[in-house]
Amino acid sequence: MLDYGEFKEKARQFQDTIPDWLHRSKLEGLENPDETFFVSWVTGGIGGRSMWGHSSEYYLEAEKEPELDNLIDFLEAHVGVGLRHGKQILDLARTVSHTELGEYQNRVDYDFKYVSYQTVYDKLAELGYAYPRDGAPRP
């Protein structure tokens, strides 16, 4: 069984292997965005506007919502969690939106699906895969 310090260390090492093309800092309002499993995807936007008034304006096409595969991969490889319990943990994920404004009213809209290390670990403890975390809410 894991303790919380060991879990965080393994999670950070695992997250470092995943390209972070959209930085976690855009997960506004999170206490510790660096301690969060997340995926992001484009949901729309407008591009091609310029200062010259000529515009080859186009709309950005929405991408398909991805799953938190990195979390499932981590849980299977480092904790031994099976698919049934993995799905219970995925159900804890939340979704938020973010708009990145560019020049000349260009913009890109994103959604993020995320779940914190603490939330995942507390569920692992509840399911018997880890020791309870000090200060964690008790069921």
Side-chain angles (χ1 to χ4, degrees):
M1 288 203 334
L2 291 172
D3 66 27
Y4 187 55
E6 183 182 7
F7 173 82
K8 277 185 8 178
E9 182 62 31
K10 286 183 177 193
R12 284 182 180 143
Q13 289 172 356
F14 184 79
Q15 290 278 106
D16 286 346
T17 67
I18 299 168
D20 190 3
W21 65 272
L22 201 55
H23 197 268
R24 286 176 185 80
S25 64
K26 292 184 180 173
L27 287 167
E28 295 172 1
L30 290 186
E31 219 173 281
N32 293 311
D34 289 336
E35 294 182 4
T36 303
F37 292 100
F38 80 98
V39 292
S40 59
W41 65 101
V42 173
T43 58
I46 298 174
R49 294 177 174 170
S50 72
M51 67 184 228
W52 295 284
H54 321 317
S55 182
S56 45
E57 183 176 290
Y58 58 90
Y59 292 94
L60 300 175
E61 196 168 312
E63 299 172 342
K64 183 180 177 214
E65 179 180 338
E67 290 300 321
L68 270 166
D69 292 338
N70 60 344
L71 175 56
I72 292 294
D73 293 344
F74 172 77
L75 293 173
E76 288 175 348
H78 297 283
V79 186
V81 171
L83 188 59
R84 185 175 66 113
H85 286 150
K87 287 190 180 281
Q88 288 179 20
I89 292 168
L90 283 180
D91 288 343
L92 301 172
R94 296 181 177 205
T95 303
V96 295
S97 298
H98 173 78
T99 297
E100 187 174 280
L101 299 174
E103 294 181 336
Y104 316 110
Q105 297 180 345
N106 291 309
R107 73 171 204 283
V108 180
D109 302 321
Y110 300 96
D111 275 358
F112 294 87
K113 188 185 296 184
Y114 70 94
V115 62
S116 72
Y117 289 1
Q118 286 183 0
T119 300
V120 171
Y121 185 85
D122 291 344
K123 186 65 174 181
L124 290 171
E126 181 185 314
L127 294 170
Y129 290 95
Y131 298 108
R133 181 174 56 86
D134 289 340
R138 301 287 179 223

